[in-house]
Amino acid sequence: MQFLQKQMVLFTATETISTRTPLSSSSSSSSRSSTRIKITYSYLSSIQYLLIFIIGIGSISISAEALVPHQVQVQALGLGPLTPPAFSSFDHRHHHRRRSSKNTTLQLRVGSSSNYNYDNMTEEEIPSAPTSSPLLTFGVLADIQYAPIPDGKSFGGQPRYYRHSLKAAHHAAKHFSREEENVALVVNLGDIIDGKCQEVEELCLAEREGEVGAVATATGGESDELKKQTQDDSTQHSSGCPGSSAVDDVVEALSPYKGRILHTYGNHELYNLSRKEIGEKLQIPFVKEPCGDLVGYYSFSSSSSSRDGIENSKDGNDGDECHVQFVVLDTYDIAMMQRCPTTSRKRQLAMKILEENNPNYPQEENSPVGLEGVQKRFVAFNGGIDVPQLTWLRETLAQAQRDNKLVIILSHQPILPSSSSPVCLVWNYQDVLDIMREYKGTVAAAFAGHAHRGGYKRDEESGIHFRIFEATLESNDPIKTYGFVDVHEDCLVVRGEGDCRSAVYSLDHMDGYRSS
């Protein structure tokens, strides 16, 4: 199969101007822009002429207003008329400006009644701005992957900031708690800690020896203060399971937010803890299926929650109550990790899936080498969804449709191909998609993590939005990555912080829900 991956296109003011209303040098545009070049001529050498010409070009000034729709206003001084650096150097993802000239300013406002930040959107993500207050606002975090170890890199070389991610999570929790944000709940999309928690003593020891050695070389002796500082993490987690202590650290970091946090879980929790332990620490309602294996799927709405893995409550639909239902999937239902090798039917099924689809198994079970396209998903750090959960999903969406609820699906792994790298997909994503498409007038979006760089794709068949949120782990200090989602009657608005992409997703595929 052909490799399917959609590289997100960054939305910048440069693109807006060049694609919608290009600057023109014709006389007809003179009322909207002007260029002034002033060069003083004299009897000078050719080299002097050249120097003066360059200096003169540097004094060009441009004034442009109302050049493009959505009230994009630009004022630039000291920049060329066709490709102003003010646009190309505007870094939307970090929510601050890097200016090539201290006199350069940029103001971006979209819509007539809202001041949402539309940073880094693709064209398909920019409908008209919402004109009403949100029905519900919730916070989002993905792939915190905290570990009390030195910074490192992924297998692909991407930097990872293990300790800073804890600070970022704490900052996010405090932001979610602000009264003006009115956050009803928070969603954590899994991988709250990193698998390297199991190596904490070894890695912290290596860090301590390296740093103390460097100080000793520079000063002729060891620094007791540095030695103590670099030992803190390893001694703090030396007793008991380091992964268990790390989860406690993240739960504590999130404690400023006093509302409900809906947790999914991912492969990195399973590298450290059993499902029973994960459920106890993160309040995930794992239940034992008839086969004897624990599973952790559940739903939560604005008016009731299900604690037994099956939506067994029917909510009324009267008054002004917001009926948004979150359906949390367990994408490690069928999985290798933390399943008994001899007695678990789900592990046996996982082994069979990998054996039939990945020639690297079992020696290199996490390697997609030699696999093409969506076949790359058949690696051991992914998982699948078994028949009982699929049945539950269909029943839950059918009930939500009858109750006229707007549903948002939550999972650690992405579901739709081309929404992110295929190596991160749920093994049997097509089974999940088929059910979701049956209820396209009920399901607004599916949010996931796992693919750290994020991604987005709207399903052409159903109109459902599939958004993968960027990892908190891979943003360096002082950047702190998380987001808010405002649920409006006609759209979802993502307000990103740090490296989280902002976006607006139209709910025009849900006309039946809005008119009911």
Side-chain angles (χ1 to χ4, degrees), residues 362-429:
Q363 289 78 14
E364 298 291 338
E365 62 183 19
N366 284 319
S367 173
V369 173
L371 301 178
E372 297 294 333
V374 294
Q375 286 295 111
K376 291 187 175 185
R377 71 191 187 276
F378 292 113
V379 287
F381 58 75
N382 289 335
I385 295 178
D386 207 350
V387 173
Q389 185 177 176
L390 292 172
T391 301
W392 169 86
L393 175 61
R394 177 176 278 108
E395 293 172 350
T396 300
L397 295 182
Q399 185 63 53
Q401 184 182 63
R402 289 190 293 270
D403 293 341
N404 191 34
K405 290 190 177 180
L406 181 152
V407 170
I408 296 175
I409 303 287
L410 306 175
S411 63
H412 181 61
Q413 291 178 244
I415 297 169
L416 182 69
S418 76
S419 64
S420 68
S421 170
V423 77
C424 295
L425 286 170
V426 177
W427 285 343
N428 59 330
Y429 68 84

Side-chain angles (χ1 to χ4, degrees), residues 353-370:
I353 289 172
L354 291 176
E355 188 176 65
E356 293 178 351
N357 292 280
N358 189 338
N360 303 305
Y361 176 83
Q363 289 78 14
E364 298 291 338
E365 62 183 19
N366 284 319
S367 173
V369 173

Side-chain angles (χ1 to χ4, degrees), residues 330-497:
D330 182 349
T331 57
Y332 291 92
D333 180 348
I334 303 170
M336 297 286 291
M337 295 164 284
Q338 297 289 343
R339 296 288 193 205
C340 179
T342 57
T343 63
S344 171
R345 186 193 70 82
K346 293 178 184 290
R347 181 184 170 97
Q348 296 299 321
L349 183 55
M351 292 171 62
K352 182 178 180 181
I353 289 172
L354 291 176
E355 188 176 65
E356 293 178 351
N357 292 280
N358 189 338
N360 303 305
Y361 176 83
Q363 289 78 14
E364 298 291 338
E365 62 183 19
N366 284 319
S367 173
V369 173
L371 301 178
E372 297 294 333
V374 294
Q375 286 295 111
K376 291 187 175 185
R377 71 191 187 276
F378 292 113
V379 287
F381 58 75
N382 289 335
I385 295 178
D386 207 350
V387 173
Q389 185 177 176
L390 292 172
T391 301
W392 169 86
L393 175 61
R394 177 176 278 108
E395 293 172 350
T396 300
L397 295 182
Q399 185 63 53
Q401 184 182 63
R402 289 190 293 270
D403 293 341
N404 191 34
K405 290 190 177 180
L406 181 152
V407 170
I408 296 175
I409 303 287
L410 306 175
S411 63
H412 181 61
Q413 291 178 244
I415 297 169
L416 182 69
S418 76
S419 64
S420 68
S421 170
V423 77
C424 295
L425 286 170
V426 177
W427 285 343
N428 59 330
Y429 68 84
Q430 192 62 56
D431 293 334
V432 185
L433 272 178
D434 289 344
I435 296 172
M436 292 175 65
R437 286 167 175 167
E438 290 179 31
Y439 299 94
K440 61 184 179 181
T442 298
V443 180
F447 293 161
H450 199 38
H452 290 188
R453 295 184 182 181
Y456 169 76
K457 180 69 176 179
R458 190 173 195 183
D459 182 32
E460 295 180 0
E461 181 174 333
S462 65
I464 298 171
H465 300 277
F466 289 81
R467 168 67 188 264
I468 291 77
F469 280 82
E470 292 75 8
T472 301
L473 171 69
E474 294 184 0
S475 298
N476 195 10
D477 192 19
I479 302 164
K480 300 171 179 67
T481 295
Y482 57 96
F484 296 84
V485 178
D486 297 323
V487 181
H488 293 262
E489 185 177 288
D490 57 351
C491 66
L492 303 177
V493 176
V494 177
R495 295 182 281 126
E497 296 286 336

Side-chain angles (χ1 to χ4, degrees), residues 31 36 58 63 93 132 155 222-223 288 291 372 415 458 480:
S31 62
R36 300 190 299 274
S63 176
R93 302 191 75 183
S132 60
F155 289 110
E222 293 186 355
S223 166
K288 185 176 290 188
C291 66
E372 297 294 333
I415 297 169
R458 190 173 195 183
K480 300 171 179 67

Side-chain angles (χ1 to χ4, degrees), residues 155-286:
F155 289 110
Q158 179 68 25
R160 292 182 167 181
Y161 307 99
Y162 297 104
R163 289 173 177 144
H164 174 64
S165 67
L166 186 69
K167 298 177 182 178
H170 183 63
H171 176 87
K174 291 194 292 185
H175 196 175
F176 295 149
S177 299
R178 294 180 191 173
E179 185 176 353
E180 64 270 19
E181 295 293 355
N182 196 28
V183 172
L185 56 91
V186 170
V187 167
N188 163 43
L189 293 170
D191 279 359
I192 200 170
I193 56 173
D194 195 89
K196 287 186 177 293
C197 287
Q198 298 302 309
E199 306 171 35
V200 59
E201 293 186 25
E202 175 185 347
L203 292 170
C204 287
L205 177 62
E207 178 191 36
R208 184 181 70 82
E209 291 177 345
E211 293 188 6
V212 171
V215 170
T217 301
T219 63
E222 293 186 355
S223 166
D224 291 337
E225 182 179 353
L226 177 60
K227 184 186 298 185
K228 179 180 182 300
Q229 178 182 350
T230 54
Q231 282 179 320
D232 283 346
D233 285 327
S234 59
T235 56
Q236 181 181 352
H237 296 83
S238 60
S239 61
C241 172
S244 178
S245 299
V247 172
D248 293 340
D249 291 342
V250 180
V251 171
E252 176 63 26
L254 296 175
S255 64
Y257 179 73
K258 303 304 181 183
R260 179 65 187 270
I261 301 180
L262 303 182
H263 292 280
T264 66
Y265 76 101
N267 49 308
H268 281 269
E269 283 91 354
L270 292 173
Y271 295 150
N272 289 276
L273 303 169
S274 69
R275 286 171 174 79
K276 182 176 184 294
E277 293 170 315
I278 294 169
E280 291 172 349
K281 289 183 175 292
L282 300 182
Q283 298 181 13
I284 297 175
F286 282 94

